[in-house]
Every structure is written in structure tokens, then in C-alpha cells.
Amino acid sequence: MIQSVRGTKDILPDSIAKWHFVESIFRKVSAIYAYKELRTPIFEKTEVFCRSIGEQTDIVNKEMYTFNDKGGDSITLRPEMTAALVRSFIQNNLATANSVQKLWYYGPFFRYERPQKGRLRQFHQYGAECLGSPYPESDVEIIMLADSICKTLGIANYKLMLNSLGNAFSRERYKTALLHFLHKIKNELSDDSKIRAKTNPLRVLDSKDEKDIKLLENAPVLIDYFDEDSNDHFLHVQNLLKENQIPFEISSKLVRGLDYYSHTVFEFRNDYLGSQDAFGGGGRYDGLVEQLGGKHYPAIGFALGVERIIIILESLGMFAESIENTDVYIAPLGNEALPLASAAAQTLRQMELVTVTDLNRRSLKAQMREANKLNCRFSIIIGENEIKHRTFIIKRMSDGEQFEVTLNDLKQFDFTQ
Ligand code: HAM
């Protein structure tokens, strides 16, 4: 038997209702915030991601599905959307003077990670990006959109972790101090952190290693190196969040795993996820449009992991057993009844009734068993008599009451009774 690729999952008919539910909320809440959907190809030129996410990040270094196509071009299955969206934004001239572009997306993404609960190699994200405003109002609007999605989905018990990476000037000043500190403890750090200290020192702060965490307790704090611009922005975001009654926790070591961020960064966490406790994250990326060849265009956005959201909703008992919703079951008796059965099914489907008819020439008993299993509201048996008189007996399954109608009157029959 050929198995699916490790870290990928089929979404089976039994669980598709969960996906439809979360997708409908993404659509609905995005529309309320006046965000428009953007779809891009699932693969991009590799440089789209290398030039934006950062050569020294785990995503680019270890996790990308990259291959040469038959023409020799290096192609990558998208590991995230922000870079691809910015590529599309520049290419399609979506930037116009003094305008803000508000976009959302949903779809599959690919990262070669070690699979575990809530961590897959093909996973899904919903995300939103607000491009064109440097102001804290847009940070807070984006966070409130994410918060509204969570609340509408029914997730109330999550934590919003907030930090600011400041502007490039503040970050450079901080990096010098951090490097000085890391140099002092370099021999005690984990192997991963030793490498990061050289390639991407800020990421050392994000280490999950117990010993590193202890060692980093006395590390210099980014916020202490902020200039006025970085400070003002961060304070303004916090004040607006408070005014909107969005609780948050400041996490001074939250740096995120992608290099394009500046100023505000945030994550949404929930205890049900175990070690994979962030089900969403985002931040401001003021330099990215320019970095990928566009004009200076400040922006902020976030993405939520859909598999992780579904795990949380399941643990909250949010999904009731999905009940099959079939309106009418048509049971033909014998081969002569097949044409009339299919004509009746066609009429009912044109009336937008969910109609099932037997396709396996089974006995009446087997067909009625299926009608019961499908929870049909009505059944119609088509036998010799029905063929001769072109009339039907419609049986209401809840109480067994029967109604006689002709084929011509079938359209007028009230199936809501
Ligand atoms: P990210 O934190 O890498 O951010 O991913 C966002 C979310 O995607 C995570 O919080 C998680 O729920 C989900 N996710 C990531 N990797 C996996 C995986 N292997 N399996 C299952 N779920 C996963 C970004 O992708 C940024 N583009 C977010 C952003 C948008 N920043 C600004 N705009």
C-alpha cells in the first residue's frame, strides 16, 4: 500500500465540516474588517523566500522544499505567505499613493519539520496583511482582526504575547550589547545557540533549551536600547490595546523565527497545544517591500495555523457530531424503475433538495437501511405501480405518514413539512 508522505494528512469527509466551519469564519470576519482575499501560486522562485525570511533562519536553512524544475530554475513550495504576498503586491502594482491595502489569504504551506502533534510538513494558514501604514493604529487593527477571528471561532482562553524589536537603529545597538553578553557565556550555551550566536544572535533569545533559558535570564533587554521612535511606537500600541480591552503579556524575549520583522511582534498561545503552543503569530515588516524591489511601504500582518486551531476547538468540545443532512432517499425497485428514479432525483435536485438514490441495484431492505442511516427526512419507493401511474408515495420518515403525488406535482410538494 502506498502511504501519504510523512507529515501530511488527508482531510476525510468525516472531518471536513470542521474545516468548512473555520474557513467560513475566516471569510466572514475578514469581510467585516474590509480585508480582500489574495491567492498566489503554491510555489515561487526560491529567492522570494531567501531574500525575505532570511538566509540564517531555520525556515530557509533547514525547512524549505526546494527543487530545480525541468528548466533548471530553483523553485520552492511556499513555507509562508508574507514573502509571496509582497512579491505579488509589487508585481501587480497594488501599492498606490496614500492607500492602505488590506489583504487576507488561506491555503496550504510546506515546511520540512519534524512532525508531531500540531506540526506538519503540509499545514494550513489563514493570515492577513495590512500594507501602507507605519502607524500603531494598523498594528492594533491587525491584532484585533486576529482576536475577532479567535473569539468568533470560540477560542477565548488564549494569551497574546507582545514584544517590540524596535527600529533597525535600536536593534543594531542592542545586537552589540547582546553579542558582548553571549560572548561571556558562549561555552555554556547549547550547540544550537552557539551556532545562532554567530549567525543570528537575536534568535538565541528564543532558545527552548532549559539551560540556555537560565543563562539568558540576565541577558540585556531589547527595550532598554530603544530610541524615541521605537519607544513611542511600542507604547502607542500598548495603550490602544488597553483601550480596546485586548489583554496582552509583554514577552521581552519574543523575537519570532523570521528576519523581516521590526517594531511590533506578537504570538497567540494556548495551553492545549503542548510544546507547539503558538497557534498564530505576526508582526510589522516595514522594510520588506523595499527589500524585494518595491518602494518603501510599511506593513504588518499575522498568520494562524489552522490545524492548531482545530486541535484547540476539538479540545474545547466545539464540534458536535456532524449529522448527515439528506432530504430525500429514492429507492427504485427493479431495473424498470431506474429511469423514473433518476428523473425524480433530477427534479428534486433542481429544487435544491439533498437527494440520494441507490446506485447498486440493492434490495429494498438494504436501501431502507441506508435511508435510515443517512437520517433522510423523506423516502420515495418506486415500483411497478408508480411506473404504471407515474405517481409516487412520499413517506415522511419521522412519523411514517404517506403522501401520494404525481410526477408533475412533485415540484409543488412541500418538503419542509
Ligand atoms: P509563523 O509563526 O512561522 O509565521 O507561522 C504562523 C503559524 O503557522 C504558527 O503560529 C503555527 O500555528 C502555524 N505553523 C507554522 N509551521 C507549522 C507547521 N509545521 N505545522 C503546523 N502549523 C504550523 C508566519 O508564517 C508569518 N508569515 C506570519 C506573518 C504574517 N507575519 C507577518 N505577516
Side-chain angles (χ1 to χ4, degrees):
M1 185 183 39
I2 302 175
Q3 300 272 348
S4 61
V5 174
R6 187 165 130 82
T8 68
K9 268 199 181 143
D10 300 316
I11 302 170
L12 299 175
D14 270 357
S15 54
I16 201 72
K18 300 175 185 178
W19 288 78
H20 288 167
F21 167 71
V22 295
E23 287 161 15
S24 72
I25 304 268
F26 297 153
R27 227 175 234 118
K28 183 173 141 193
V29 181
S30 307
I32 292 172
Y33 277 75
Y35 281 62
K36 299 215 167 81
E37 187 180 3
L38 176 84
R39 298 184 190 183
T40 62
I42 274 166
F43 51 76
E44 296 276 345
K45 290 186 179 152
T46 301
E47 61 179 310
V48 169
F49 303 112
C50 292
R51 276 174 52 188
S52 52
I53 299 170
E55 298 276 1
Q56 297 307 334
T57 57
D58 284 351
I59 297 181
V60 170
N61 239 332
K62 304 185 198 154
E63 297 168 4
M64 293 209 305
Y65 279 90
T66 297
F67 58 95
N68 283 343
D69 68 10
K70 298 225 183 324
D73 290 325
S74 180
I75 301 292
T76 294
L77 300 186
R78 59 186 192 186
E80 62 107 47
M81 184 66 171
T82 312
L85 181 138
V86 168
R87 191 273 306 142
S88 168
F89 181 81
I90 299 167
Q91 183 177 338
N92 295 295
N93 293 318
L94 298 184
T96 42
N98 299 322
S99 83
V100 173
Q101 280 284 355
K102 305 184 197 181
L103 303 166
W104 70 273
Y105 51 86
Y106 167 76
F109 294 87
F110 308 85
R111 293 184 194 175
Y112 190 79
E113 291 195 79
R114 203 161 39 80
Q116 60 181 71
K117 181 182 167 199
R119 195 205 275 156
L120 292 149
R121 291 182 174 172
Q122 175 175 330
F123 59 99
H124 294 76
Q125 281 186 348
Y126 159 83
E129 314 285 344
C130 176
L131 300 103
S133 164
Y135 299 114
E137 298 85 283
S138 61
D139 303 40
V140 173
E141 181 175 283
I142 252 315
I143 292 174
M144 285 176 71
L145 165 56
D147 176 75
S148 298
I149 299 253
C150 295
K151 299 224 166 97
T152 315
L153 284 166
I155 307 173
N157 57 337
Y158 71 82
K159 270 192 200 152
L160 166 61
M161 312 304 292
L162 186 73
N163 194 20
S164 171
L165 303 179
N167 58 19
F169 171 73
S170 304
R171 247 183 346 270
E172 276 315 309
R173 270 204 331 194
Y174 175 66
K175 245 186 221 169
T176 313
L178 181 64
L179 280 171
H180 187 71
F181 173 81
L182 293 177
H183 185 73
K184 285 193 286 188
I185 55 166
K186 69 172 189 276
N187 295 330
E188 293 156 79
L189 286 170
S190 67
D191 289 347
D192 256 0
S193 290
K194 272 186 194 129
I195 298 170
R196 281 183 179 156
K198 286 202 188 104
T199 57
N200 202 349
L202 241 60
R203 292 278 296 138
V204 178
L205 298 176
D206 208 27
S207 172
K208 304 282 180 289
D209 182 282
E210 292 290 331
K211 198 167 158 228
D212 286 352
I213 293 173
K214 195 103 201 91
L215 284 167
L216 291 164
E217 268 171 11
N218 298 321
V221 178
L222 221 159
I223 223 171
D224 295 338
Y225 295 77
F226 275 6
D227 62 0
E228 204 182 333
D229 161 54
S230 304
N231 246 332
D232 279 356
H233 192 98
F234 195 31
L235 280 177
H236 206 130
V237 169
Q238 292 176 54
N239 287 338
L240 271 175
L241 285 172
K242 282 182 198 151
E243 230 155 87
N244 284 292
Q245 273 116 44
I246 308 278
F248 59 88
E249 237 176 73
I250 305 247
S251 168
S252 63
K253 294 204 171 69
L254 177 70
V255 289
R256 311 254 314 127
L258 306 99
D259 277 356
Y260 48 60
Y261 292 119
S262 57
H263 291 289
T264 314
V265 286
F266 53 93
E267 272 182 7
F268 295 96
R269 297 206 180 142
N270 180 283
D271 294 339
Y272 287 110
L273 292 166
S275 64
Q276 298 300 313
D277 63 353
F279 64 92
R284 181 164 275 287
Y285 50 96
D286 289 348
L288 187 57
V289 178
E290 211 168 354
Q291 209 172 308
L292 285 180
K295 295 208 180 85
H296 178 70
Y297 219 77
I300 181 156
F302 69 93
L304 303 175
V306 184
E307 282 78 2
R308 294 186 192 179
I309 282 181
I310 289 179
I311 292 175
I312 297 170
L313 293 177
E314 279 170 346
S315 65
L316 292 171
M318 294 289 296
F319 297 115
E321 195 65 24
S322 76
I323 295 167
E324 300 272 1
N325 163 32
T326 309
D327 295 314
V328 190
Y329 190 93
I330 300 180
L333 269 183
N335 292 355
E336 312 75 54
L338 294 176
L340 193 53
S342 95
Q346 176 73 347
T347 304
L348 296 174
R349 286 168 183 154
Q350 280 164 354
M351 293 161 70
E352 297 187 359
L353 293 165
V354 180
T355 307
V356 175
T357 181
D358 180 57
L359 298 176
N360 254 342
R361 304 186 178 183
R362 289 178 301 177
S363 68
L364 182 61
K365 203 168 154 206
Q367 294 192 53
M368 285 301 111
R369 212 180 299 128
E370 192 184 4
N372 279 323
K373 206 169 100 196
L374 292 175
N375 232 334
C376 290
R377 293 191 305 109
F378 293 92
S379 68
I380 300 176
I381 298 172
I382 302 180
E384 253 173 55
N385 217 17
E386 285 74 16
I387 301 168
K388 200 148 98 207
H389 303 292
R390 297 189 81 73
T391 57
F392 301 104
I393 306 288
I394 301 175
K395 184 173 159 189
R396 188 163 58 203
M397 302 294 271
S398 57
D399 57 3
E401 190 169 344
Q402 301 197 349
F403 309 87
E404 193 175 340
V405 291
T406 64
L407 177 58
N408 287 338
D409 289 342
L410 192 56
K411 275 203 187 101
Q412 273 75 52
F413 185 76
D414 177 12
F415 282 95
T416 58
Q417 62 183 306

